[in-house]
Amino acid sequence: KSVILYSVATCIDPPSQVDSSGDTVLASNVPSNQLSMRLFDCLGTVNGKDATDVVLSAANASFVELRLGAYALLNAVAKRGTGAQVLLSHNSFYEFLVTREKESTKEGKEAKHAIVEAVLSSDARPLLADSIVTTLEKIAQQGPHYVNVSSYELATES
């Protein structure tokens, strides 16, 4: 499953290449937004579910490799014109983005943080409520390895 998620992510958002002089060359085979979203939708159709449901269930899996593949696909889709809108229209995607405690690996935290940044830089940003943008900006500013510190009072017997 993870290989398929990575493959679809690479098709939607091909990596840039470096030429012999060290310059970054954009891939010439970047699909249109419409074609990218059709490919993403096909992932759901093949599985008999909504594509976002399929990818979010993989993103919440216990296997790190499966989560990282799902994160790569969510990041690729969020970078697309309407992709972030499609993801944010799903009822559990925003909660997935703001819940950072579930991810325990360095790679996973960084990949999930990249999704937040992709959503913030997407065309969907002006359509979001101010409170959502503020929360996502706070998460982006805190970085991928932020841990919410809770103060505990020492309980003593009297």
Side-chain angles (χ1 to χ4, degrees), residues 4-113:
I4 293 170
L5 294 172
Y6 272 115
S7 298
V8 174
T10 303
C11 290
I12 292 174
D13 185 33
S16 57
Q17 299 172 348
V18 178
D19 65 7
S20 59
S21 63
D23 294 331
T24 302
V25 179
L26 296 177
S28 60
N29 58 346
V30 177
S32 67
N33 287 337
Q34 182 182 12
L35 186 59
S36 297
M37 294 314 299
R38 283 182 53 203
L39 178 60
F40 181 67
D41 288 337
C42 285
L43 186 66
T45 304
V46 167
N47 288 291
K49 298 180 183 177
D50 178 59
T52 308
D53 282 333
V54 171
V55 179
L56 284 177
S57 67
N60 291 315
S62 58
F63 296 109
V64 176
E65 294 81 7
L66 189 55
R67 287 198 314 266
L68 292 177
Y71 295 163
L73 181 54
L74 290 171
N75 189 16
V77 171
K79 288 179 181 178
R80 292 319 216 148
T82 57
Q85 293 173 351
V86 169
L87 294 174
L88 287 164
S89 67
H90 194 275
N91 57 359
S92 60
F93 180 70
Y94 176 71
E95 173 136 359
F96 162 77
L97 281 182
V98 298
T99 306
R100 296 185 273 184
E101 297 80 26
K102 291 184 180 180
E103 184 54 60
S104 58
T105 66
K106 174 187 177 288
E107 296 84 2
K109 289 179 181 190
E110 291 170 355
K112 197 167 179 182
H113 188 263

